[in-house]
Structure formats: structure tokens, C-alpha cells
Amino acid sequence: MPWKNQGGGPWGSGPKGPWGSGPQPVGPRPPDLEDLLRRGQDRLQQLLPGGYFSGLGLALILAGALAIWAMSGFYRVQSEELGVVLRFGKYVYDTQPGLRYHLPYPIETVLLPKALRVSTINIGWMQTDGTARRERTPRDVPEESLMLTGDENIVDVEFTVFWRIKPNGAADFLFNIQNPEGTVKAVAESAMREVIGHRDIQPILTTAREEVQTSVQELMQKTLDRYGSGVLIQQVQLAPVNPPAQVVEAFNDVQNAKIDYERLQNEAQTYANRVVPDARGRAAQIIQAAQGYKQQAVAEAKGQSARFLKVYDQYVKAKDVTRERIYLETMERVLGSSDKLIYDSGSGAAQGVVPYLPLNELAPRRQATTGQQVQQGQQPQPSGGTR
């Protein structure tokens, strides 16, 4: 006889073994599933007259199931979502945030994309897990950030794209592109490389940031619209653009050399702008003076020629008179400024006539002449007052 069937024995009464009583349950016992099903059937029979396998019972069960199925069409659209209703898998219409209803499954279904939320994609840098701080080191994602400029320089371009679903583009967003975030990122990187590749490095680093952002945004939107993606690019924001860390010092040396070159070129241009007009002015002055002298010489030559011709005409008409006149005019012009007086003391001159000598007028002239000779180191010459 087994130990558990023994009514008594050395270990007392009850189903005990040689090691004491068996394991005892701790806490309340779990409900019996068969008991619960049996109780549910009893209550259902009480509620349905004639039993639940009667016609009325089946009708009530079917009506309850239909009610539950019809109520399954209610759904809620959150504040940043947009409801996209599909009827047998085909797009029908959109629904705005709030409590909405569609025909129950499988007639209609609803998709809830985050259509009203502005999403961001970072190209060239990453965010630290668990924080909102950027890792702005140039070598975060070099395969994305290093780009070639139009003048064959390499720059480290980090930027952020802000995008969302178009107001009427939820269906295109869901069905035309398989990986929206990856598509937007690939298009953003491609557009930035194209824009950077058509510009020199200096404007990109200084004055062309706004132009680059606008050009990339327009090019991205054009490409995504061509894909029929239903994506709206709201903004492209550039981080500070720098050359790669490995060549920063060399790049700065090149930029300083360019700045010095431009400065010296500007100084040379300034000097040229100052000297060239002055030289042109002097040249114009010399040319005008030469033209004036030319006109004067030609006019004087023409006047002398005309005078000579007139004198010659008179000489031809009366040679003796004209010759005498020319002689007298010439002697008058030669002797008109002379200080010497000439007296003819020949035999035909009148005797006893005392010539008048204006000594008071001749003395100052004689003294002035003597002073000039002394200053020049010459001996004063005796004046021949009369001859």
C-alpha cells in the first residue's frame, strides 16, 4: 500500500509522505476556465428566451455582432496627423484631426501619417543620443559634408532640411515613395552638391549663404515634385561652412595671399587712376599749346606773306619811291632806339652853328651803362658824344 493511502502511520493521518506534507498553494487559487464558460452559457440561456440556439437568439447574436462591427469604424485623428481613407485599398479622401468615422473593415481602412508635423533631416552631422546638442565636428559624417566647389576647392558643408507633407499630398506621400526620409535626404545632398559645384569657395564662405539656401530649397522642391512625393520643403538652413580641418591652415594662407594680392592690385589701380588722368591732362595741354603755336605761326606767316605781296605790288608800281621809303623805314627802326647823335661837319654844313646837345638826358643813360659794365667786370668805355 503506498504511503499516501495510509490512513495512519508514523507520520499521522492524511496524504503525507515520508518527507512531510506536499507543497501547499500560496494565495487565492486561479479561476477554473471550464467553470467560467459554463456559467457564461447559463447566463446567456437565461437572457435569450428559448435558448441561444433558437431563431430569436441567433438574431440577437447577429445584431450584436453587426453593431460591434459597425462601431469599429470610429477612429481618432490626432492634432499632427491626417487621416487617409482607403476603400478596398484605393485612396478616397482625407480627414482632418478629430473623431471621425469610416466604413468598417474590410470595406474601408484608414492610414494616419504625421502630415502636420514638421520633420528635420541633418546632412553632414549627427545628434547625440538622448540630448538635443549637435556634434558639430567637421568629421562627423564626412561622406555627406565634404563637397567640391566650382573653383576645385573642398568645403565642409553641414545643413538641416525642414520638411513636411503637403496639405493635399498625403496620398502621394504614402503611395509614391517607399522611404520618404531617405528620399528627402538623398535629394537634399544631391541638390547641395550641385549648387556648391557651380560656385566659387569665397562667396560660399562669406556672402552667398542666403543664395545657396534658396537655390537648394528650390532645386529640392522641383525634384521632389517631379517624383510626385507629396513633400513640401519649408526651409534649408546652412551651418557655418568651413574648409576641411586637415587643410585649414593652408587654406587660410591662400586666402591671406589672395587678400594681399587684391589689396596691392587696388593700390596700383588707385595710383593709375591718379597718374593717368594727370598725364592725359598734361598731354592735352601740350597738344593745345602746340596747336595754338601752329595757328599763330601760320597766321604770322600768312600776314608777312600778304604784307610782302602788298609791298611788292607798290614796288613794282614805283620802284624808286618804294625803295627810298623802305630804306627810311628800316633806318628809322634801327636808329630809333639808339642813344648816339650824329652830326655832319662837312664842308657843306653851316659854320658857326653850335649843335644842341641834351646833356641832362644823356648823362643818366651813360651812368647806367657804366654801372652795368662795372657789375659785369668790364672797363667802362668812353662815350663818343659827337662824331
Side-chain angles (χ1 to χ4, degrees):
M1 180 176 61
W3 291 101
K4 65 180 181 179
N5 293 330
Q6 295 179 355
W11 296 284
S13 61
K16 298 181 180 180
W19 297 278
S21 61
Q24 301 295 325
V26 180
R29 297 179 60 185
D32 190 358
L33 182 59
E34 294 181 357
D35 186 48
L36 289 176
L37 292 176
R38 185 167 52 253
R39 291 179 182 179
Q41 291 176 358
D42 293 340
R43 290 181 180 179
L44 186 59
Q45 288 180 359
Q46 293 175 3
L47 293 175
L48 298 177
Y52 55 86
F53 289 108
S54 64
L56 182 57
L58 291 176
L60 291 176
I61 293 175
L62 183 59
L66 288 175
I68 295 173
W69 178 71
M71 292 180 63
S72 65
F74 287 99
Y75 64 97
R76 180 179 295 276
V77 182
Q78 300 298 329
S79 59
E80 62 180 9
E81 297 177 341
L82 187 67
V84 179
V85 179
L86 308 179
R87 183 173 299 163
F88 298 111
K90 181 180 179 181
Y91 169 75
V92 181
Y93 57 90
D94 298 335
T95 57
Q96 298 299 320
L99 182 62
R100 304 295 175 182
Y101 180 81
H102 67 84
L103 296 178
Y105 179 86
I107 300 175
E108 289 183 351
T109 56
V110 63
L111 300 176
L112 301 174
K114 305 292 184 181
L116 305 180
R117 182 180 64 184
V118 178
S119 302
T120 60
I121 293 179
N122 303 323
I123 292 92
W125 57 274
M126 300 172 60
Q127 283 186 339
T128 305
D129 294 339
T131 64
R133 182 179 61 84
R134 298 187 194 178
E135 294 182 355
R136 300 302 297 274
T137 57
R139 289 174 291 180
D140 283 342
V141 190
E143 60 272 14
E144 296 178 359
S145 61
L146 296 180
M147 301 182 184
L148 188 66
T149 64
D151 53 356
E152 298 182 355
N153 285 293
I154 299 177
V155 291
D156 192 353
V157 181
E158 301 173 358
F159 63 102
T160 302
V161 177
F162 297 87
W163 64 279
R164 53 165 293 184
I165 301 175
K166 286 185 176 181
N168 298 323
D172 295 335
F173 177 79
L174 291 173
F175 303 124
N176 290 347
I177 53 177
Q178 183 177 5
N179 183 9
E181 185 172 352
T183 302
V184 173
K185 185 173 183 178
V187 171
E189 184 177 350
S190 176
M192 182 62 74
R193 290 186 183 277
E194 180 175 348
V195 172
I196 293 297
H198 286 85
R199 286 170 172 78
D200 295 339
I201 186 172
Q202 194 61 35
I204 296 174
L205 298 178
T206 55
T207 59
R209 289 175 53 85
E210 294 294 334
E211 183 181 354
V212 169
Q213 294 177 165
T214 303
S215 300
V216 172
Q217 180 178 354
E218 294 176 353
L219 184 57
M220 286 186 63
Q221 191 64 62
K222 183 179 179 180
T223 304
L224 292 171
D225 290 344
R226 196 163 56 244
Y227 292 165
S229 62
V231 174
L232 176 64
I233 303 299
Q234 289 194 324
Q235 185 182 5
V236 175
Q237 185 176 357
L238 269 175
V241 180
N242 298 305
Q246 297 86 345
V247 296
V248 169
E249 295 183 359
F251 179 81
N252 292 334
D253 293 340
V254 172
Q255 297 304 313
N256 293 332
K258 289 183 178 180
I259 293 174
D260 293 340
Y261 169 76
E262 293 178 356
R263 178 178 57 80
L264 295 176
Q265 188 176 17
N266 293 333
E267 291 178 357
Q269 187 64 38
T270 302
Y271 176 75
N273 293 337
R274 184 179 67 253
V275 172
V276 170
D278 187 18
R280 289 176 179 174
R282 291 199 301 269
Q285 181 180 4
I286 293 173
I287 292 174
Q288 292 177 358
Q291 291 178 350
Y293 174 75
K294 172 185 176 182
Q295 294 176 358
Q296 179 183 1
V298 170
E300 289 180 354
K302 289 181 178 179
Q304 292 177 1
S305 175
R307 179 176 177 277
F308 177 80
L309 293 176
K310 291 181 179 180
V311 171
Y312 178 75
D313 292 340
Q314 298 298 325
Y315 177 78
V316 171
K317 295 178 181 179
K319 294 183 178 181
D320 295 336
V321 176
T322 304
R323 186 184 301 113
E324 184 69 19
R325 180 181 175 183
I326 291 174
Y327 173 77
L328 293 176
E329 290 178 353
T330 302
M331 295 303 297
E332 180 182 4
R333 186 169 58 256
V334 172
L335 300 177
S337 59
S338 177
D339 294 335
K340 294 181 180 181
L341 299 177
I342 301 174
Y343 294 94
D344 187 7
S345 58
S347 59
Q351 296 296 328
V353 177
V354 179
Y356 172 71
L357 295 177
L359 297 178
N360 56 346
E361 295 180 3
L362 295 176
R365 296 180 181 178
R366 194 165 50 248
Q367 292 176 1
T369 303
T370 304
Q372 292 177 359
Q373 292 176 354
V374 171
Q375 290 178 359
Q376 295 175 0
Q378 300 178 0
Q379 294 295 329
Q381 298 295 332
S383 62
T386 57
R387 184 177 58 181

